[in-house]
Amino acid sequence: MILALVAVLQSPVTCVSNQAAPVAQRWAVAAARAHAIACEKLAPNIPGFAVAVAVDGRIVWSEAFGFANVEARLPATPATQFRIGSVSKPLTATAIAQLFEIGKLDLDAPVQRYVPTFPMKSAPITTRLIGGHLAGLRSYQGDEFTLNRRFTTVTEGLSIFKDDSLLSRPGARFSYSSYGFNLLSAVVEGASGEEFLAYMSRHVFKPLRMTATAPDKNDSLIPNRTRFYETRPRLLGGGFTVAPAVDNSYKWAGGGFLSTAEDLVRFGSALLDPGFLKGATLELLFTPQRTTTGEATPYGIGWYVAKDSLGHRYVYHGGGSVGGTTAFGVDRDSRVVFALVTNLTEARLAPGREIQAVFDSVASGLRR
């Protein structure tokens, strides 16, 4: 990859960036505008981040900004790996979809068929309900989000919540739960006969050339992994400080992967058309589920589902981690796929929507 180090002087800061490759002429104006938005509205508030945009399955712009290591003044690059948090969920949903397609997974069977060690609850819960946050499983409590404890297996990680009562009757209401997706990783293991991380590598990441997507293992040397930061309170002078150490081994499927913006847009691009998954399977993932009373939820299986201001079908997911915030979306009509990955806890990513809108406008105009 040819990296061009770009320094755009601003007042009062310098915007340092690495562009992955020259931008094609038809996208040059959009890329210049996106670069300006990133420098003006994101770079002053985030230590390091990367943005990638693909259209019709091809990356048209990829650029990283700021620093992967602030203290060492090591610039972020498009190859820098960031924590993607809950954007891990669409990845996990793809494994569920594959196993469903080949007949190894019944979405409506009790989850104990695939995870016999998971306790029975007050009513049956199924893979479909879990994948749509309708199973009544709880989410994080107390300091669970910042755990720094090693879990050696997927099923060991379930011990945190598996004996707790359901929050509501399965199907009754939408209640977001990262732990539900941790349970789905055990479903993948039970249905496939493979360890979850091995399955994801062999059947999702490698076929899609997602070479920079990997579990965030503390005991592994990952040369391109960024350092992680949080915002220092103003009363302490503001700026950024290194985020506390955490161990994400209890939640690979719900929020434990590292990736790059480029890998994420490759992934999203593979779901624009039938091929990697069947057309009917894509509709399964991208159709909002309903409660038992018929109320539509905002979620399919692993994806939020909406229509944007242009009426386009839009599927997306955000991700929040200790030391990372991610925005990821797929416009199924303009065929623009967008990813923004950062190394900051609770980063404000609203300007990312402006960047996506720039490319969406150009892509829609080229189709007229």
Side-chain angles (χ1 to χ4, degrees):
M1 180 182 293
I2 299 174
L3 299 176
L5 186 63
V6 181
V8 178
L9 295 179
Q10 291 187 177
S11 178
V13 296
T14 298
C15 182
V16 176
S17 72
N18 279 285
Q19 187 171 291
V23 177
Q25 185 61 40
R26 62 161 46 180
W27 301 106
V29 173
R33 177 59 185 145
H35 175 96
I37 294 169
C39 284
E40 294 166 10
K41 299 184 179 182
L42 291 170
N45 305 308
I46 303 173
F49 62 97
V51 194
V53 177
V55 182
D56 285 330
R58 177 171 295 187
I59 296 175
V60 299
W61 179 61
S62 172
E63 194 164 350
F65 298 80
F67 297 93
N69 186 318
V70 173
E71 295 75 19
R73 308 303 285 176
L74 177 67
T77 78
T80 300
Q81 293 163 285
F82 298 82
R83 285 177 177 157
I84 62 171
S86 288
V87 176
S88 302
K89 292 179 175 69
L91 303 179
T92 301
T94 302
I96 292 294
Q98 289 176 327
L99 293 166
F100 166 74
E101 279 191 346
I102 61 176
K104 288 190 173 184
L105 176 58
D106 182 345
L107 296 176
D108 298 310
V111 71
Q112 288 80 11
R113 177 182 296 184
Y114 307 103
V115 192
T117 58
F118 193 78
M120 300 295 291
K121 298 298 178 183
S122 55
I125 60 175
T126 67
T127 296
R128 188 189 303 271
L129 292 174
I130 298 166
H133 300 291
L134 284 164
L137 296 169
R138 72 171 179 87
S139 196
Y140 301 113
Q141 293 179 355
D143 63 356
E144 291 171 351
F145 187 70
T146 56
L147 282 181
N148 193 19
R149 169 188 165 193
R150 174 76 184 279
F151 291 82
T152 57
T153 66
V154 160
T155 51
E156 184 184 346
L158 303 183
S159 64
I160 298 171
F161 70 96
K162 69 184 180 72
D163 294 319
D164 295 342
S165 299
L166 298 180
L167 300 178
S168 57
R169 186 172 180 81
R173 66 183 177 92
F174 177 84
S175 181
Y176 188 89
S177 171
S178 284
Y179 287 139
F181 274 73
N182 299 349
L183 178 53
L184 291 187
S185 65
V187 170
V188 170
E189 292 191 341
S192 69
E194 299 181 51
E195 291 186 353
F196 175 69
L197 293 180
Y199 183 96
M200 294 299 293
S201 177
R202 292 170 185 162
H203 301 283
V204 180
F205 303 153
K206 287 184 179 178
L208 297 181
R209 298 181 293 111
M210 298 173 66
T211 58
T213 304
D216 183 27
K217 291 185 175 181
N218 287 353
D219 58 357
S220 296
L221 178 63
I222 305 176
N224 287 324
R225 178 166 44 187
T226 186
R227 201 166 194 190
F228 304 106
Y229 297 92
E230 60 185 16
T231 303
R232 184 185 290 114
R234 288 186 179 181
L235 58 85
L236 296 179
F240 309 111
T241 187
V242 176
V246 294
D247 190 313
N248 288 322
S249 56
Y250 70 107
K251 59 174 181 181
W252 303 130
F257 284 110
L258 299 166
S259 193
T260 63
E262 290 191 356
D263 262 14
L264 290 181
V265 297
R266 289 188 188 97
F267 167 66
S269 295
L271 305 184
L272 285 171
D273 299 300
F276 186 69
L277 294 176
K278 297 176 182 178
T281 308
L282 293 175
E283 293 309 312
L284 172 71
L285 297 179
F286 298 155
T287 299
Q289 294 200 48
R290 292 183 176 273
T291 67
T292 50
T293 60
E295 181 183 357
T297 74
Y299 211 87
I301 297 179
W303 293 85
Y304 282 99
V305 182
K307 286 193 175 182
D308 66 13
S309 59
L310 298 175
H312 292 179
R313 297 169 301 162
Y314 187 61
V315 293
Y316 65 99
H317 220 291
S321 313
V322 175
T325 314
T326 298
F328 173 53
V330 179
D331 188 317
R332 302 180 67 197
D333 291 313
S334 71
R335 301 175 63 82
V336 172
V337 183
F338 170 85
L340 167 58
V341 291
T342 81
N343 60 8
L344 182 68
T345 304
E346 296 183 349
R348 296 179 179 180
L349 303 186
R353 292 195 290 271
E354 296 181 45
I355 293 174
Q356 183 173 357
V358 169
F359 286 91
D360 188 63
S361 176
V362 175
S364 298
L366 291 173
R367 287 187 171 81
R368 292 192 186 109

